[in-house]
Amino acid sequence: MISNMYIRGTQVNYYFVCKTKLWLFSHNITMEKEHELVKLGKLIHDSYYERDQKDVTIGPVAFDVIRKNDEIEIREVKKSGSFEKAHEYQLLYYIYYLNKLGIKAKGILSYPKQRKTIKVKMDSEKEKEIEKILSEIEEITKGKMPQPSYAKHCRKCAYFELCFA
Ligand code: SF4
């Protein structure tokens, strides 16, 4: 077990999307629940995966869907593929976390609107990358808030008003 396993999957995701967003979320400044796009994501999730077991929480890690065939399969449901790398590493972190608990798992990234699925697997290189990312997340959250830097996706971000009002 490593020391930074209190980190949440969303933080790993935000590490790739925006460091300001990562910092705000890590300091419990959450506006995500109120945002329309997040509501849409939840709606897609609920209507496409009604029969699956959902919202499994282990420590700081919450999975959208978890299934058991011959091994555990985690499915992370996303509404758009715009941040595929962020989605991939979020899912890799879940797999990493389970591996550290002695549970073998594989992952599926699912984009129901695009009818697209991507298999995500852990290997030793990815494991090292995840550990580096976790350390960097710790450093970022310990420091001052990174200055917001405007990008195309900011308009759709729940923190937009906070960063640029
Ligand atoms: S509005 Fe832009 S800069 Fe601010 S948190 Fe969101 S993505 Fe980051």
Side-chain angles (χ1 to χ4, degrees):
M1 192 76 71
I2 55 164
S3 62
N4 46 14
M5 285 188 78
Y6 58 84
I7 288 172
R8 294 165 66 184
T10 306
Q11 288 171 287
V12 175
N13 184 314
Y14 288 173
Y15 171 86
F16 289 95
V17 175
C18 169
K19 305 292 189 281
T20 312
K21 190 168 184 163
L22 165 64
W23 190 95
L24 288 165
F25 179 82
S26 303
H27 287 80
N28 295 321
I29 304 165
T30 51
M31 300 164 85
E32 296 285 29
K33 279 196 180 93
E34 290 153 27
H35 200 272
E36 285 305 314
L37 287 167
V38 176
K39 277 188 207 157
L40 178 64
K42 286 194 195 308
L43 194 69
I44 289 168
H45 174 283
D46 290 348
S47 50
Y48 280 86
Y49 294 101
E50 269 169 6
R51 282 161 300 169
D52 288 326
Q53 188 183 343
K54 302 182 286 200
D55 302 330
V56 175
T57 304
I58 306 171
V61 172
F63 311 113
D64 275 356
V65 176
I66 190 164
R67 278 181 175 171
K68 211 171 180 180
N69 299 319
D70 47 341
E71 67 181 322
I72 283 177
E73 181 184 291
I74 307 159
R75 185 183 295 162
E76 184 69 11
V77 183
K78 299 292 184 189
K79 63 186 177 299
S80 109
S82 322
F83 290 104
E84 209 169 288
K85 192 167 181 189
H87 301 158
E88 183 192 346
Y89 278 81
Q90 181 176 0
L91 192 47
L92 275 169
Y93 174 55
Y94 295 156
I95 295 169
Y96 171 86
Y97 192 98
L98 286 174
N99 286 349
K100 292 289 167 197
L101 297 174
I103 301 165
K104 286 255 171 268
K106 62 181 178 182
I108 304 269
L109 261 181
S110 182
Y111 300 96
K113 269 184 99 177
Q114 292 91 333
R115 299 189 184 280
K116 183 176 158 189
T117 54
I118 297 163
K119 289 182 182 165
V120 176
K121 271 191 159 182
M122 180 60 78
D123 58 33
S124 55
E125 209 173 293
K126 295 237 166 73
E127 190 174 313
K128 275 189 212 140
E129 268 187 84
I130 288 283
E131 284 172 357
K132 188 168 167 273
I133 290 163
L134 296 180
S135 301
E136 286 179 20
I137 288 174
E138 268 194 327
E139 285 308 308
I140 291 165
T141 55
K142 267 193 256 163
K144 283 189 181 164
M145 184 181 93
Q147 280 301 304
S149 162
Y150 186 79
K152 227 165 58 179
H153 60 259
C154 287
R155 288 251 167 225
K156 292 178 181 174
C157 175
Y159 295 114
F160 182 77
E161 301 272 315
L162 211 149
C163 289
F164 301 109

